[in-house]
Amino acid sequence: MILYAIPVSTYSAKVRIALAAKGIDYEMVPPPGGYSSPEYMKIIPLGKIPGFVDGELAISESETIIEYLEERYPQVPLLTGSAAQRARQRFMTRFHDLWLEPHLRATFAHVDPSTRDEAELNAHLDDYQARLKQMDSLIDPQPYLVSETLSIADCAFPATFTLADILLPSFGRESTYGPRLSEWRKTVYAHPAVKQVTDESRQATLDWMGSGGG
Ligand SMILES: N[C@@H](CCC(=O)N[C@@H](CS)C(=O)NCC(=O)O)C(=O)O
């Protein structure tokens, strides 16, 4: 099993947390030739990471990869409880991918102060903070986001928050976590799979920022 990924990639970290939680062995390989290279797109047509290969199967999209892993390795389930609880778990991971993280990603274009558009950057930062505030009202940790054990709902946010905690201060901002989110953060970062992956992505992000974020 091969995961095309690099340590600084938050969507790769989401899948790596799921793989580590399930105890699945895999090889992590950077995309040959880089993102969207002709060489990599022969394997993963969209050219994005994470990309995943298991025998005949070669796919991308973190959510699709995790759902495949869930079906193939149901031991240590990441979709748990009643149908309603599993729906809430799926909702939280989509909330991350579609409504929260894109606002943070949009700030990457403004890391370099010499080409920064302050108005655009501030709008993205405000949108990100508004979604973070909303998230606190959407959750009731048990102590994981939607369950007593780690679920799919918990996999995407840790690396995004690790990145935000480094990136936002460079824009003169701070991540503000509400009381429920703060409580959940204590639980999730102590989980061995989450700790292992986010420790690595934190260091990779610091190195990336140190090199100018390019
Ligand atoms: N929806 C995709 C998002 C993947 C994504 O945006 N990956 C980033 C790295 S975290 C990437 O490949 N960036 C390079 C590019 O956009 O060309 C998923 O869930 O896997």
Side-chain angles (χ1 to χ4, degrees):
M1 234 181 250
I2 295 176
L3 186 73
Y4 290 103
I6 56 172
V8 79
S9 156
T10 49
Y11 283 99
S12 302
K14 170 182 164 185
V15 174
R16 293 174 66 209
I17 287 171
L19 284 159
K22 285 179 174 289
I24 300 170
D25 282 335
Y26 66 99
E27 194 185 344
M28 179 162 136
V29 178
Y35 304 123
S36 302
S37 67
E39 196 183 346
Y40 182 49
M41 287 171 78
K42 271 193 204 143
I43 313 166
I44 301 293
L46 293 191
K48 305 285 179 194
I49 54 170
F52 178 78
V53 174
D54 186 16
E56 298 280 292
L57 175 70
I59 46 161
S60 57
E61 289 302 314
S62 55
E63 206 70 9
T64 312
I65 301 167
I66 294 182
E67 291 209 9
Y68 170 78
L69 294 171
E70 185 67 5
E71 290 187 4
R72 181 103 160 60
Y73 299 93
Q75 62 277 25
V76 192
L78 293 175
L79 279 165
T80 63
S82 64
Q85 180 158 304
R86 296 198 303 276
R88 284 187 208 105
Q89 291 161 1
R90 291 186 176 101
F91 169 74
M92 287 313 301
T93 184
R94 280 163 181 71
F95 174 81
H96 169 276
D97 290 7
L98 299 175
W99 304 108
L100 175 77
E101 193 275 351
H103 297 306
L104 186 66
R105 181 161 299 266
T107 70
F108 296 177
H110 306 281
V111 167
D112 180 352
S114 69
T115 53
R116 182 175 294 170
D117 178 329
E118 289 287 347
E120 209 178 284
L121 171 63
N122 282 321
H124 294 314
L125 290 167
D126 290 346
D127 286 342
Y128 177 74
Q129 191 54 51
R131 286 294 180 200
L132 207 51
K133 189 170 175 205
Q134 180 181 42
M135 185 176 167
D136 201 70
S137 67
L138 294 175
I139 61 171
D140 182 15
Q142 314 168 17
Y144 288 94
L145 224 42
V146 190
S147 46
E148 289 172 11
T149 55
L150 191 89
S151 85
I152 191 170
D154 300 286
C155 293
F157 296 100
T160 293
F161 290 165
T162 297
L163 172 63
D165 292 347
I166 296 170
L167 199 54
L168 264 55
S170 78
F171 298 133
R173 299 267 192 131
E174 243 179 67
S175 311
T176 310
Y177 299 106
R180 296 191 194 95
L181 255 179
S182 300
E183 223 20 64
W184 167 79
R185 274 163 57 86
K186 284 186 213 151
T187 303
V188 83
Y189 285 112
H191 187 289
V194 176
K195 183 171 168 24
Q196 178 209 319
V197 173
T198 51
D199 282 353
E200 199 184 327
S201 57
R202 182 177 303 105
Q203 191 52 55
T205 305
L206 289 168
D207 294 346
W208 177 68
M209 291 293 286
S211 68

